[in-house]
Amino acid sequence: MARLADGLKVVTANRLDSGGAVWFGADDGWQPTIAAAAVFEGAGAESALARAREAALRSGVIEPYLIEVALAESGPRPRSPREQIRSHGPSVRTDLGIQAGQQP
Amino acid sequence: MALLLKDGAVADNPWITIADGAADPLPDGPVIVGLAEWRRDRAALSARNTPLGVRLKSSERADEIAADLDRFTLVALEFPVFRDGRPFSTARELREHYGFRGEIRALGHVLADQYQFLVRTGFTSVEVADGAALVNWRHALSEITVAYQPGAIDESPLSSLRRRVATPGSQPA
Amino acid sequence: MTELHAGLYHYDEIDRRFLAERVEQFRRQVERRISGELSEAEFRPLRLMNGLYLQLHAYMLRVAVPYGVLSATQLRRLAAIGRKYDRGYGHFTTRQNLQFNWIRLVDVPAILDELAAVDMHAIQTSGNCIRNVTTDQFAGAAADELVDPRVYAEILRQWSTLHPEFSFLPRKFKIAITGSPHDRAAIAIHDVGIRARALAAGAVGFDIFVGGGLGRAPYLAKALREGLPEADLLAYLEAVLRIYNQYGRRDNIYKARIKILVHEVGITRLREQIDAEFERIRGPKYRLDPEIVAVIRGHFAPPPFETLPPEPPADAAAPAGDPGFARWVRTNVTPHRQPGYAVVTITLKPAGGIPGDASSEQMEAVADLAERFSFGELRVSHEQNLVLAHVRRDELPLLWQELGRHGLDSANAGLIGDIIACPGLDYCSLANARSIPLAQQISQRFADPERQHAIGELKIKMSGCINACGHHHVGHIGVLGVDKHGVETYQITVGGSATEDAAMGVVVGPAVGYDEVTDKIERLVAAYLDWRLEGERFIDTVARLGAKTFRERVYGPAA
């Protein structure tokens, strides 16, 4: 994976049972929307990832990783189009996915 | 390490595996040496009066030992990672092309879910990591009873392309 | 329990026992994963061998549709599964399979049970193993067919199922087979492509091609063996797979397909190795017995056609005064080998729609129509459309009206509106750009059926990344989405073809942004309409004039 620039990050992963996307929250738990994700910076991001990996093993979550975000009014917004779509749902079916209040 | 046979029974392992580049003199008893060691020390190894085994990496093929097969009681095939499926071909060639009748042992990283594939390609034993759930290994042998293609072992035909996979306790093929 | 006359392999108790055992095996694997006994790294290849991917929003389950043939009962079951476990729709793929996008791992054992109840499964639709053997969607029906490829596709499906030696290959392995000189199965872009034909004395034989594939390093398959007798089919393929298993690269997943082996070793040397292995293998054990072929062929016997008078030419069959019906017959109806019958293509490409998607309601409608009009049988094409292969010509008007009631009567098979598109960044974790909304935009721009018909045959294929699941390399117009510094950017090619005159498309000009693609395609079409000679399709004009000629029209004069 390319080295991420310094900047704001969140940790994300997938649930083992449903494959749904989740984000690492302020209480070291896993949240179903990115709005509730805890935002980290610099060395804090790396240690958050380490904690997330521990938490993942205990809580049925797979392979956490860091993504870059910017802060928007609605909360953290991913910089990459892939993670934007992943945090919302398919752009071509706005009736499906997180954007429609659904979890797999 | 547990040694499983092709019917799922746990067996004692009399073999001593000699690591590549090991400098000590060989112990008495049956030893398994790497291919490079065999090539280097053919005469001395052949002169021993205990059974001899050779170990092939997944990149080493059956034809590299084909001419010497009558010297070996055992051929061990290494899986560096379970996804590397080359040893399945090697085992098959040893059985079907070269008529090897000795033990073919799987070692390295193999999953219980591959056990039936191992047996069907001609392996007769598997080294299983310490702590492995042997119950999964034994269960794996009976999971699928129908095969759709010939293996390296004799299997009784069902109709059309199908064959009956021998499972522990079932009638011999 | 499947329709008696449907031309698919009818399972017996042995097949059903196998399927039940396989489902149970996966159920245990899921339990061992959930309990943590299997790590994700260990579980991943096992779930892939049951067609289960982890994608952007959920797990995706790829259900196998062997050589693209389904019974009405099976399609209804897919509709029901879509409703119960997914979001009420499915996506038909470029390998004739069906994908569900919103699957939960914990539901998969139950889903596999429900599939098994109608003799369906998701075995080997993913993973480094032999995948679905695909074929001509008009198999057993097309007037130009020499050999019914479904017979051999089924034989190869069985042979490749849980093959003990070839389940851990360097990479995936895709086989396609055609039984007609006009190749509707795209054999030239498969790891092994097979052309079935008649040898001297009328026996069935095969021309074998190897090393086709798209993706980062696209190659057309090369001739490997000509005129292989039927009895040697399995032995020869064992030889091919064994050489690949042993010599295919395992150090770099981008260089692990057999096409790279062909390229690095050379076809001559590779052929020598394969032929030598074949000579070693050849013998009673691997001989494909003609009795077995006959048994399998029996599953694909023609349905009980009525004896009907030979039909008038297609255009003359249009009921007077209905240009819509006439257009539909022109593009979506193909001549059948049986007098009085026709092959019907149901395109899943409504203007502005998501290519290849079908709702559960639409699936049920098609299942009903298959039952009413086509002996309970339908097919999936690699162009993401459905086919009713055996329709009485005198029932075409009624069928067309029924299709219209469900929005399934688009008269655009093979036209610019019949776009092939991968799911792209909207669904797929491998993608770099979206493909579906662009396909929707293009098909909306060209929605007018008269305009589509005036343009004629023009196959647009779109991929959201270099893995090329949308087969963009072999589109008459190909569109490849890439990520350029976080911006979706698209490269346009022309001149690709997936048929017997297979070719890779050539880049027309610099990649453009999302908002410019449809415009560029308009310009390509306008140029074609200006320059075409009588009877020339788009692909013919490109071949005659070259891609460079189109570049100036599309991008403006070079600076």
Side-chain angles (χ1 to χ4, degrees):
Chain A
M1 199 191 319
R3 201 180 145 273
L4 295 180
D6 295 329
L8 302 177
K9 294 174 191 155
V10 302
V11 183
T12 186
N14 291 80
R15 290 178 58 127
L16 171 63
D17 61 353
S18 68
V22 288
W23 292 266
F24 201 48
D27 57 351
D28 278 16
W30 295 98
Q31 301 294 328
T33 62
I34 195 173
V39 181
F40 304 98
E41 203 167 2
E46 290 304 324
S47 70
L49 181 59
R51 288 198 316 280
R53 286 188 174 130
E54 296 279 304
L57 285 175
R58 285 192 312 271
S59 46
V61 162
I62 315 174
E63 292 170 355
Y65 58 100
L66 285 168
I67 62 169
E68 287 183 31
V69 297
L71 285 179
E73 263 187 47
S74 55
R77 182 179 147 77
R79 288 196 181 279
S80 82
R82 175 180 294 118
E83 291 295 331
Q84 285 166 20
I85 289 175
R86 189 168 164 272
S87 63
H88 278 76
S91 72
V92 294
R93 288 291 304 265
T94 52
D95 58 325
L96 300 178
I98 294 171
Q99 62 205 341
Q102 290 174 352
Q103 293 292 324
Chain B
M1 187 276 289
L3 184 67
L4 292 180
L5 302 183
K6 65 178 176 157
D7 60 357
V10 178
D12 292 327
N13 179 27
W15 294 86
I16 300 168
T17 301
I18 310 298
D20 287 339
D24 303 326
L26 292 178
D28 293 332
V31 294
I32 307 174
V33 297
L35 179 61
E37 165 92 28
W38 161 249
R39 286 181 170 145
R40 204 169 40 241
D41 263 333
R42 287 176 63 101
L45 289 166
S46 302
R48 290 165 64 92
N49 61 5
T50 50
L52 184 61
V54 68
R55 186 175 69 251
L56 297 183
K57 297 185 176 38
S58 59
S59 53
E60 292 165 340
R61 286 181 302 279
D63 57 16
E64 300 189 64
I65 55 171
D68 298 330
L69 279 178
D70 55 348
R71 318 280 182 123
F72 302 123
T73 308
L74 174 149
V75 176
L77 303 179
E78 279 179 25
F79 284 81
V81 65
F82 72 101
R83 287 188 316 270
D84 183 341
R86 286 177 286 186
F88 293 112
S89 287
T90 307
R92 232 167 147 192
E93 288 190 320
L94 287 170
R95 294 293 186 215
E96 292 184 341
H97 292 332
Y98 299 115
F100 181 64
R101 287 183 138 76
E103 184 176 339
I104 299 182
R105 178 177 296 189
L107 29 100
H109 186 214
V110 264
L111 300 183
D113 313 81
Q114 297 174 297
Y115 202 178
Q116 282 191 309
F117 293 148
L118 291 170
V119 172
R120 295 198 64 229
T121 49
F123 287 86
T124 42
S125 61
V126 187
E127 273 186 24
V128 171
D130 279 331
L134 292 186
V135 61
N136 287 328
W137 283 87
R138 272 192 289 275
H139 192 276
L141 277 184
S142 333
E143 282 184 328
I144 309 283
T145 62
V146 178
Y148 283 91
Q149 65 287 111
I153 55 178
D154 286 327
E155 285 159 324
S156 27
L158 296 169
S159 64
S160 191
L161 292 165
R162 287 90 51 99
R163 283 161 180 76
R164 187 190 323 276
V165 175
T167 57
S170 69
Q171 290 301 320
Chain C
M1 147 265 329
T2 51
E3 285 77 345
L4 194 58
H5 298 303
L8 51 140
Y9 175 75
H10 298 267
Y11 276 37
D12 61 17
E13 315 74 53
I14 298 171
D15 301 305
R16 292 193 178 120
R17 184 172 91 222
F18 167 80
L19 206 49
E21 291 169 347
R22 177 67 171 171
V23 173
E24 190 50 38
Q25 182 187 55
F26 188 66
R27 174 176 282 115
R28 287 195 84 240
Q29 289 167 339
V30 172
E31 282 165 8
R32 285 159 60 209
R33 176 67 189 101
I34 304 252
S35 76
E37 192 189 309
L38 278 174
S39 71
E40 188 60 21
E42 290 170 335
F43 180 65
R44 198 168 162 276
L46 302 177
R47 72 165 155 76
L48 287 176
M49 281 198 275
N50 272 285
L52 194 60
Y53 285 87
L54 184 55
Q55 294 222 300
L56 288 184
H57 313 295
Y59 288 94
M60 180 270 279
L61 180 67
R62 182 179 292 151
V63 178
V65 183
Y67 39 88
V69 182
L70 282 169
S71 71
T73 301
Q74 292 175 326
L75 185 57
R76 282 197 190 96
R77 178 55 58 103
L78 293 175
I81 288 172
R83 213 175 255 125
K84 184 171 172 186
Y85 297 100
D86 203 86
R87 296 288 186 270
Y89 71 103
H91 174 75
F92 290 101
T93 77
T94 55
R95 299 217 76 240
Q96 302 183 298
N97 293 317
L98 178 87
Q99 290 179 178
F100 291 116
N101 294 301
W102 300 91
I103 298 297
R104 295 159 46 92
L105 173 64
V106 292
D107 289 336
V108 173
I111 295 171
L112 294 182
D113 271 334
E114 299 205 17
L115 287 172
V118 292
D119 301 341
M120 295 189 79
H121 58 76
I123 294 171
Q124 293 174 216
T125 54
S126 183
N128 293 340
C129 50
I130 302 169
R131 303 284 191 88
N132 190 21
V133 177
T134 52
T135 193
D136 177 358
Q137 68 273 14
F138 296 162
D144 63 358
E145 180 172 281
L146 304 177
V147 174
D148 187 344
R150 291 174 300 172
V151 177
Y152 304 96
E154 172 59 28
I155 288 169
L156 294 178
R157 180 191 76 84
Q158 294 196 19
W159 160 80
S160 64
T161 298
L162 264 60
H163 195 302
E165 189 180 345
F166 304 133
S167 289
F168 294 89
L169 297 171
R171 200 77 171 89
K172 64 182 100 169
F173 203 90
K174 298 182 180 177
I175 301 175
I177 177 167
T178 176
S180 160
H182 182 53
D183 176 13
R184 287 175 289 269
I187 67 170
I189 58 168
H190 280 79
D191 297 284
V192 161
I194 302 175
R195 183 169 60 209
R197 59 178 172 89
L199 303 180
V204 170
F206 308 100
D207 299 324
I208 313 282
F209 300 84
V210 69
L214 304 178
R216 271 171 191 80
Y219 287 98
L220 296 178
K222 293 187 158 60
L224 178 62
R225 182 90 172 199
E226 202 183 306
L228 183 75
E230 179 190 89
D232 290 328
L233 181 64
L234 296 183
Y236 199 78
L237 288 188
E238 287 263 330
V240 175
L241 265 301
R242 180 164 299 159
I243 296 300
Y244 174 57
N245 190 43
Q246 292 180 313
Y247 294 97
R249 289 180 64 166
R250 291 181 188 260
D251 60 316
N252 180 343
I253 61 161
Y254 302 122
K255 302 211 167 183
R257 299 286 289 275
I258 197 171
K259 63 187 180 183
I260 303 298
L261 190 58
V262 172
H263 181 67
E264 289 184 345
V265 167
I267 184 66
T268 307
R269 174 93 190 99
L270 193 65
R271 183 186 296 116
E272 279 167 14
Q273 288 181 305
I274 291 171
D275 284 353
E277 184 64 29
F278 168 60
E279 290 306 320
R280 288 207 303 186
I281 288 176
R282 200 179 202 177
K285 188 170 188 177
Y286 293 99
R287 184 170 169 272
L288 179 57
D289 269 326
E291 297 83 45
I292 290 180
V293 178
V295 165
I296 304 273
R297 179 170 283 116
H299 292 261
F300 301 99
F305 292 123
E306 313 221 17
T307 306
L308 298 172
E311 66 275 62
D315 286 352
D322 198 320
F325 178 73
R327 272 195 296 266
W328 181 77
V329 169
R330 205 174 304 131
T331 51
N332 290 41
V333 176
T334 309
H336 198 293
R337 58 201 299 115
Q338 180 74 18
Y341 283 80
V343 185
V344 170
T345 298
I346 303 171
T347 50
L348 297 177
K349 321 283 178 69
I354 297 180
D357 275 16
S359 67
S360 291
E361 290 71 34
Q362 286 175 318
M363 290 187 213
E364 279 156 354
V366 173
D368 287 345
L369 295 173
E371 228 158 41
R372 257 174 87 185
F373 293 97
S374 190
F375 302 98
E377 173 192 321
L378 64 125
R379 292 93 179 282
V380 183
S381 79
H382 72 87
E383 295 177 323
Q384 304 174 306
N385 293 321
L386 302 179
V387 171
L388 297 182
H390 310 297
V391 178
R392 288 174 58 132
R393 291 203 73 95
D394 55 16
E395 295 191 325
L396 287 174
L398 183 55
L399 171 58
W400 176 68
Q401 278 166 358
E402 292 293 321
L403 287 169
R405 282 178 43 223
H406 299 282
L408 293 168
D409 60 341
S410 300
N412 62 1
L415 304 184
I416 194 169
D418 184 9
I419 298 173
I420 288 120
C422 73
L425 192 56
D426 282 300
Y427 286 100
C428 179
S429 47
L430 300 175
N432 289 314
R434 287 172 303 155
S435 51
I436 296 174
L438 201 43
Q440 290 176 298
Q441 196 184 92
I442 295 168
S443 72
Q444 194 65 264
R445 183 77 68 90
F446 288 91
D448 177 2
E450 276 189 40
R451 189 180 180 202
Q452 287 194 51
H453 278 249
I455 294 167
E457 183 182 307
L458 205 170
K459 303 196 179 201
I460 297 181
K461 303 194 193 220
M462 305 180 55
S463 304
C465 80
I466 193 60
N467 288 300
C469 301
H471 294 179
H472 63 278
H473 295 95
V474 290
H476 298 169
I477 295 177
V479 179
L480 167 64
V482 300
D483 177 334
K484 224 172 186 169
H485 313 299
V487 177
E488 290 173 317
T489 312
Y490 296 86
Q491 186 183 84
I492 301 172
T493 57
V494 295
S497 172
T499 63
E500 64 278 5
D501 34 69
M504 300 295 180
V506 171
V507 174
V508 182
V512 298
Y514 182 100
D515 292 328
E516 296 174 68
V517 178
T518 307
D519 242 27
K520 293 285 182 265
I521 293 186
E522 285 255 38
R523 293 187 192 199
L524 282 170
V525 170
Y528 157 66
L529 292 174
D530 279 349
W531 296 333
R532 71 174 169 185
L533 302 178
E534 178 83 34
E536 256 186 357
R537 304 165 298 161
F538 176 85
I539 186 72
D540 300 322
T541 308
V542 170
R544 178 167 58 86
L545 297 178
K548 278 217 292 244
T549 313
F550 281 82
R551 180 191 171 116
E552 223 190 64
R553 267 296 283 269
V554 175
Y555 286 83

